[in-house]
């Protein structure tokens, strides 16, 4: 009989530094002896690949359809037989995900009511609520610079005005969900190391019960 693993969701605007911090945290957890699995949304499943094709403009569809595809991709991410994360958490593996349903609450609610998005994701929140959501709060100007320095193309949502809006939607979503979700906000406008230290310190303060939510 295993204890359940922690499920940690990283959130933030594009270029905020999520994948960098996931890599650093995963290494540190492994050194500590934890079994750790890192993953992301949109996934690389057939549903995720459809989403990527929409985001890069190769397929056109309505925003409501994108919202629904994210819901489907997320449920598949949780439940599929091959590498579904619910089984991993149940086996005691710590799962770190680059984005989860707060990404939908923030990004999709720019175009449609947030309550609709929250409702549409209710299955996922009932199946697996993060032990903690870590929001890397990076200034949109800084995030844009990081993206510009390191990427050759911009995806649909990587425009500054959009990032400003999405950041505000994140804050609105955290406020709305504050009674049911654990959210940790870290200042993302610092060096990789400083952010990593901050995350590590805050995670150490999490109650053990956080793994069993
Ligand atoms: P995200 O996964 O949130 O889109 P990344 O971790 O991919 O963000 O970071 C975006 C880019 O910025 C990467 O090229 C990364 O090397 C760089 N980067 C990440 N964190 C920092 C930081 N704290 N300071 C400066 N550059 C960073
Ligand atoms: P990705 O290429 O993975 O970017 P990043 O490294 O910045 O996370 O693309 C993810 C994009 O999808 C990003 O712009 C946010 C968007 N997104 C949503 O709009 N809704 C969602 O539910 C998720 C998971 C992602």
């Amino acid at each position: 009989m295993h204890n359940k693993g922690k499920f940690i969701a990283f959130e933030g605007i594009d270029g905020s530094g999520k994948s960098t911090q996931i890599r650093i945290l995963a290494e540190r957890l492994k050194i500590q002896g934890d079994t750790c699995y890192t993953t992301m949304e949109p996934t690389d499943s057939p549903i995720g690949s459809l989403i990527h094709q929409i985001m890069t403009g190769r397929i056109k569809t309505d925003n409501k359809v994108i919202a629904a595809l994210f819901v489907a991709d997320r449920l598949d991410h949780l439940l599929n037989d091959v590498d579904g994360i619910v089984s991993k958490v149940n086996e005691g593996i710590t799962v770190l995900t680059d984005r989860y349903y707060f990404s939908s609450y923030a990004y999709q609610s720019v175009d449609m009511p947030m309550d609709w998005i929250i409702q549409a994701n209710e299955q996922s929140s009932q199946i697996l609520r993060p032990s903690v959501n870590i929001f890397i709060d990076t200034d949109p100007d800084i995030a844009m610079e990081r993206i510009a320095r390191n990427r050759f193309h911009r995806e649909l949502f990587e425009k500054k005005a959009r990032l400003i809006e999405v950041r505000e939607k994140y804050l609105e979503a955290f406020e709305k969900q504050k009674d049911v979700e654990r959210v940790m906000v870290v200042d993302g406008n610092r060096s990789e190391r400083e952010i990593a230290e901050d995350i590590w310190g805050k995670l150490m303060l999490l109650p053990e019960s956080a793994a069993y939510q």
Side-chain angles (χ1 to χ4, degrees):
M1 180 58 193
H2 288 286
N3 281 335
K4 279 193 179 184
K6 284 198 165 60
F7 175 51
I8 304 178
F10 280 75
E11 297 288 354
I13 59 175
D14 302 74
S16 57
K18 295 177 277 63
S19 59
T20 303
Q21 292 303 323
I22 288 177
R23 187 172 36 77
I24 297 172
L25 179 60
E27 279 164 19
R28 211 157 171 176
L29 287 170
K30 280 177 191 159
I31 290 169
Q32 189 184 263
D34 288 15
T35 318
C36 197
Y37 177 78
T38 64
T39 181
M40 67 176 75
E41 293 185 4
T43 68
D44 55 8
S45 75
I47 303 168
S49 121
L50 196 51
I51 293 173
H52 278 297
Q53 292 180 65
I54 294 168
M55 311 266 291
T56 50
R58 266 186 286 165
I59 301 177
K60 300 250 177 286
T61 184
D62 190 87
N63 286 331
K64 292 186 188 62
V65 178
I66 307 184
L69 285 173
F70 275 119
V71 170
D73 188 42
R74 185 159 297 129
L75 286 168
D76 183 69
H77 193 199
L78 289 168
L79 299 173
N80 86 75
D81 285 344
V82 181
D83 54 5
I85 57 183
V86 169
S87 321
K88 293 189 188 297
V89 168
N90 286 339
E91 284 166 26
I93 297 171
T94 297
V95 175
L96 309 181
T97 184
D98 190 337
R99 302 192 177 283
Y100 193 48
Y101 45 63
F102 269 103
S103 285
S104 283
Y105 301 173
Y107 283 80
Q108 274 60 59
S109 72
V110 172
D111 307 301
M112 60 199 104
M114 191 182 290
D115 288 334
W116 187 85
I117 310 295
I118 293 174
Q119 255 174 39
N121 278 282
E122 204 179 311
Q123 280 294 319
S124 294
S125 65
Q126 280 177 13
I127 294 168
L128 191 60
R129 205 181 278 287
S131 316
V132 61
N133 298 277
I134 300 181
F135 179 57
I136 306 188
D137 191 9
T138 304
D139 188 271
D141 276 316
I142 294 178
M144 284 297 288
E145 270 171 36
R146 290 182 190 165
I147 294 169
R149 237 186 296 135
N150 300 294
R151 287 191 203 172
F152 299 107
H153 69 278
R154 285 188 191 164
E155 291 193 348
L156 194 58
F157 298 139
E158 295 178 348
K159 309 235 165 59
K160 185 176 159 195
R162 181 84 178 184
L163 294 189
I164 293 173
E165 241 179 315
V166 169
R167 177 177 174 272
E168 277 160 13
K169 289 292 181 186
Y170 263 119
L171 299 177
E172 188 184 327
F174 294 141
E175 178 61 27
K176 225 184 223 301
Q177 296 295 95
K178 66 174 190 276
D179 294 337
V180 285
E181 294 282 344
R182 182 179 277 117
V183 178
M184 215 159 92
V185 180
V186 298
D187 176 358
N189 305 317
R190 297 173 291 171
S191 72
E192 291 179 10
R193 253 195 70 200
E194 283 172 300
I195 300 168
E197 281 310 311
D198 192 3
I199 290 175
W200 187 256
K202 286 184 166 134
L203 278 179
M204 292 302 111
L205 297 175
L206 266 191
E208 260 315 298
S209 63
Y212 305 105
Q213 284 190 337

